[in-house]
């Protein structure tokens, strides 16, 4: 599958940068193209300058709202980010139009943090603009803030609430990523952020590569291609990744008739699946997913139909309400890894929580201004009161 990636704001730009790095790795190590273009959009010159892998010309690093912000960001006001994206959105469209192999693009992915200003405001506006012009699926990846950020800044909750509502209205699917899930103690935040970005993007590597392979030896018995992924992605979505070491096992598995080897092979696969489901980008209940997919990647010898059957069973056991798509990708050695996607989540405690707290935030601000009896309004009625950013 080939993506066109657009990072909005600092967080989005950096994750897009990580995608660009991964694209280079796919090209040099596997001879595959998994990206047709990577673009970063920001109101902040310094953030754009700090990127490494996104091409450095003005078509790939797009400064918007320079007149309004002087190139220094929007200071967490996401409605200003949204306005600027509306005014300068043409620059992004021009850049998309200039993409050499745009026709080969299977889908467009826009990325931003929800709690900031520029990316949080711009992502839904740009998604809307792009969807008006092109007939390709447009996905969003929205990064949720660390706990400490929520505790110290009421405004960040409002940004998250309005960003989530707007992306839900604009995009075909939204990958939710919770920064807090990735935090490891004793590592400085900056190091953590690049580590987090690496971990956020890594599950996409094999997922994007699998359908682009042309050499028979790397083509699985069940290929997971762009069509399967597009069919799976809808609404709120999470992604997870797990891997298990195969060194120490006798290879090739398939030639061994020892029942212990057969068992070990299935067990490593199921362990990787359990890890992937335990390591989702946002904690959620798999039973809430209406669609799911997984891709198992590992040495040819380890990819038997038995393993695939076992894995499908394991996922079906967790995501009982989901239509499941799957594939195997015979590539690499020494480990089996699993990427899993849960999509069309019908309920997410975290998202509902953000909406409730945003409504509270709006109610409190309005209360201070006097007027409506906010204490006696239901959640449905109040949901309408969360402003949309486009
Ligand atoms: N995972 C991850 N999160 C980040 C990164 N940089 C910032 N964040 C998170 O993003 C939020 C802040 O948003 P930014 O992306 O910095 O804001 P912006 O879109 O540049 O908007 P303004 O700076 O307000 O104009 C916070 O929740 C940060 O924790 C990053 O590189 N990776
Ligand atoms: Mg910024």
């Amino acid at each position: 599958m080939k993506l066109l990636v657009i990072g909005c704001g600092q967080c989005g730009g950096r994750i897009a940068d990580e995608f660009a790095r991964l694209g280079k790795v796919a090209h040099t190590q596997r001879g595959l193209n998994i990206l047709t273009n990577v673009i970063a959009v920001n109101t902040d010159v310094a953030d754009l300058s700090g990127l490494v892998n996104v091409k450095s010309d003005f078509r790939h690093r797009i400064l918007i709202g320079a007149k309004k912000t002087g190139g220094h960001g929007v200071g967490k006001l996401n409605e200003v980010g949204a306005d600027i994206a509306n005014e300068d959105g043409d620059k992004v469209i021009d850049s998309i139009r200039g993409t050499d192999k745009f026709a080969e693009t299977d889908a467009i992915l826009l990325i931003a943090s929800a709690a900031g200003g520029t990316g949080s405001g711009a992502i839904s506006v740009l998604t809307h603009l792009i969807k008006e012009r092109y007939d390709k699926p447009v996905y969003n990846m929205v990064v949720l803030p660390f706990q400490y950020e929520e505790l110290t800044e009421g405004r960040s909750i409002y940004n998250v609430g309005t960003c989530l509502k707007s992306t839900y209205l604009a995009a075909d699917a939204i990958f939710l990523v919770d920064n807090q899930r990735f935090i490891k103690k004793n590592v400085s935040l900056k190091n953590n952020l690049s580590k987090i970005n690496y971990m956020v993007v890594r599950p996409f590597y094999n997922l994007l590569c699998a359908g682009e392979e042309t050499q028979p030896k790397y083509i699985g018995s069940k290929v997971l291609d762009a069509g399967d992924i597009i069919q799976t992605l809808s609404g709120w979505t999470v992604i997870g990744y797990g891997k298990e070491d195969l060194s120490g096992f006798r290879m090739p598995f398939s030639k061994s008739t020892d029942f212990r080897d057969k068992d070990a092979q299935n067990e490593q696969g199921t362990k990787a699946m359990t890890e992937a489901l335990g390591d989702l980008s946002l904690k959620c209940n798999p039973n809430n997913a209406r669609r799911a997919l997984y891709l198992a990647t590992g040495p040819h010898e380890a990819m038997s139909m038995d393993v695939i059957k076992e894995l499908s069973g394991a996922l079906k056991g967790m995501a009982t309400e989901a239509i499941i798509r799957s594939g195997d990708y015979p590539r690499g050695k020494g480990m089996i890894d699993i990427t899993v996607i849960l999509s069309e989540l019908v309920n997410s405690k975290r998202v509902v929580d953000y909406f409730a707290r945003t409504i509270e935030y709006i109610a409190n601000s309005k209360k201070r201004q006097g007027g409506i009896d906010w204490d006696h309004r239901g959640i449905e009625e109040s949901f309408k009161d969360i402003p949309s950013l486009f």
Side-chain angles (χ1 to χ4, degrees), residues 8-11 42-44 47 72-76 113 116-119:
C8 313
Q10 171 179 294
C11 174
N42 209 327
T43 54
D44 191 315
D47 280 353
H72 297 302
V74 300
K76 303 267 178 273
S113 66
T118 302

Side-chain angles (χ1 to χ4, degrees), residues 86-112:
N86 241 326
E87 286 159 19
D88 278 357
D90 286 353
K91 289 188 185 176
V92 180
I93 299 292
D94 276 351
S95 175
I96 294 173
R97 201 178 293 134
T99 300
D100 276 346
K101 296 194 169 153
F102 182 70
E104 290 177 24
T105 307
D106 294 300
I108 300 169
L109 174 69
L110 293 98
I111 309 167

Side-chain angles (χ1 to χ4, degrees), residues 153-195:
E153 272 212 51
R155 170 74 205 199
S156 71
I157 297 292
Y158 176 85
N159 286 350
V160 175
T162 49
C163 176
L164 286 177
K165 172 171 174 170
S166 309
T167 53
Y168 188 74
L169 293 175
D172 293 302
I174 310 101
F175 289 95
L176 295 169
V177 173
D178 182 5
N179 264 345
Q180 189 67 28
R181 294 271 282 173
F182 296 90
I183 261 197
K184 296 278 184 298
K185 282 176 192 150
N186 302 328
V187 187
S188 83
L189 187 64
K190 187 168 182 316
N191 290 339
N192 248 342
L193 283 178
S194 12
K195 185 85 199 292

